[in-house]
Amino acid sequence: MRIAITREISAALARCELTHLERREIDLPLARRQHADYERALESLGCRVVRLPQDPDLPDSVFVEDVAVVLGELAVLTRPGAPSRRGETPAVEAALRPYRRLRRIEEPGTLDGGDVLVVGPHVYVGDTGRTNRAGFVQLRDLLGPLGYSVARVAVRGCLHLKSAVTRVARDLLLLNPERVEAEAFPGLRAVAVDPEEPAAANALLVGGSVIFPGEFPRTRGRLQEAGVDVVTVAASELAKAEGAVTCCSLVLEIPATSAPI
Ligand code: CIR
């Protein structure tokens, strides 16, 4: 069974954190319709969607990816780099608790899930304003004994590592070479985003398909040429909040035989 944890868009989304973008008006009803379509796309790829309720005091809480890193063996609850986002953890923690052992990043560590790219036993952690050295070291200390390699990766000009690079197939990445060096990912092939679509490196791999924003048709063409099956969703409104498609869900594989923890 495959579960996708999502969260309704907060009524306070207009007060979201912004780092690299100017504030623009967000059409909240349209954002909610786009988010519902995104959830339908997750369902079409075999996910049972567990939707958490919105919280009017947590503007960025739709971006559940930043609050936890989910692996096969456990989930690590993060300590988000933006103090305004630290209250997002309890609801996600409660949703994850039946399915994974939980560990957590502790003060003074900060870490956003958007900075963590997992490719099999290799975990890449963005060196960004949201994820500090202490957060990286804590994650490495938690995952190293489980057999994961955990490497820090330099990122330029964007919020998170996954604004620069995501995985789109077993051994294939989608990346923006202006934002991250392909050499940081040895042994993996990469498709580059179209230069006219610098924000297009964020795609969500679910099973063998990729959920991808309709706003980037040139890069979508590149993915399809590379043989990637693409499910397109409109994502214009949450993009104004510096969010994209990976940020809005936590996808967990649940073995059919596993009893609840
Ligand atoms: C923030 O700045 O935290 C939010 N406005 C956007 C977070 C997007 N999350 C992600 O890419 N993983």
Side-chain angles (χ1 to χ4, degrees):
M1 183 174 53
R2 183 177 290 150
I3 288 181
I5 297 172
T6 64
R7 192 162 189 176
E8 286 175 15
I9 296 176
S10 170
L13 178 66
R15 290 191 278 113
C16 67
E17 296 282 338
L18 285 178
T19 308
H20 294 275
L21 296 182
E22 295 291 322
R23 199 166 293 279
R24 284 189 292 154
E25 192 175 338
I26 299 175
D27 180 335
L28 189 59
L30 178 58
R32 288 189 163 139
R33 284 198 299 278
Q34 291 180 346
H35 188 250
D37 286 347
Y38 169 83
E39 291 175 326
R40 274 195 285 275
L42 286 165
E43 285 170 349
S44 78
L45 297 178
C47 297
R48 180 166 72 78
V49 172
V50 176
R51 174 192 263 212
L52 306 179
Q54 71 108 6
D55 186 323
D57 295 324
L58 296 171
D60 281 303
S61 47
V62 63
F63 301 121
V64 288
E65 166 180 61
D66 293 318
V67 183
V69 176
V70 181
L71 297 157
E73 305 85 339
L74 83 175
V76 180
L77 298 165
T78 69
R79 182 165 177 271
S84 71
R85 300 198 56 190
R86 296 199 183 133
E88 295 175 26
T89 307
V92 173
E93 176 176 352
L96 285 170
R97 186 170 296 285
Y99 304 112
R100 291 292 189 276
R101 279 189 297 136
L102 300 179
R103 296 290 178 268
R104 60 182 80 237
I105 300 296
E106 308 277 2
E107 194 176 359
T110 65
L111 186 131
D112 278 11
D115 273 324
V116 180
L117 175 67
V118 180
V119 184
H122 304 293
V123 179
Y124 301 96
V125 183
D127 185 351
T128 69
R130 295 292 176 88
T131 296
N132 66 14
R133 171 90 195 156
F136 162 70
V137 169
Q138 287 180 34
L139 189 71
R140 191 182 61 191
D141 290 349
L142 287 168
L143 302 187
L146 300 175
Y148 291 93
S149 74
V150 185
R152 195 116 156 104
V153 178
V155 182
R156 292 177 297 273
C158 57
L159 185 62
H160 287 131
L161 176 65
K162 280 189 272 191
S163 324
V165 56
T166 49
R167 186 185 190 187
V168 290
R170 187 179 170 76
D171 64 347
L172 187 65
L173 301 176
L174 171 65
L175 62 75
N176 179 337
E178 303 288 317
R179 294 180 171 184
V180 69
E181 305 291 337
E183 291 71 29
F185 310 97
L188 295 173
R189 298 177 299 123
V191 174
V193 300
D194 186 281
E196 291 187 22
E197 298 174 344
N202 188 274
L204 175 61
L205 179 63
V206 181
S209 302
V210 151
I211 297 179
F212 190 70
E215 289 74 27
F216 306 122
R218 292 165 178 262
T219 302
R220 179 178 59 204
R222 291 184 177 209
L223 287 173
Q224 288 168 329
E225 269 169 40
V228 176
D229 179 49
V230 180
V231 177
T232 305
V233 293
S236 62
E237 296 313 294
L238 289 181
K240 296 176 191 168
E242 250 174 299
V245 288
T246 63
C247 351
C248 294
S249 59
L250 287 164
V251 178
L252 292 74
E253 304 292 337
I254 314 286
T257 53
S258 83
I261 294 173

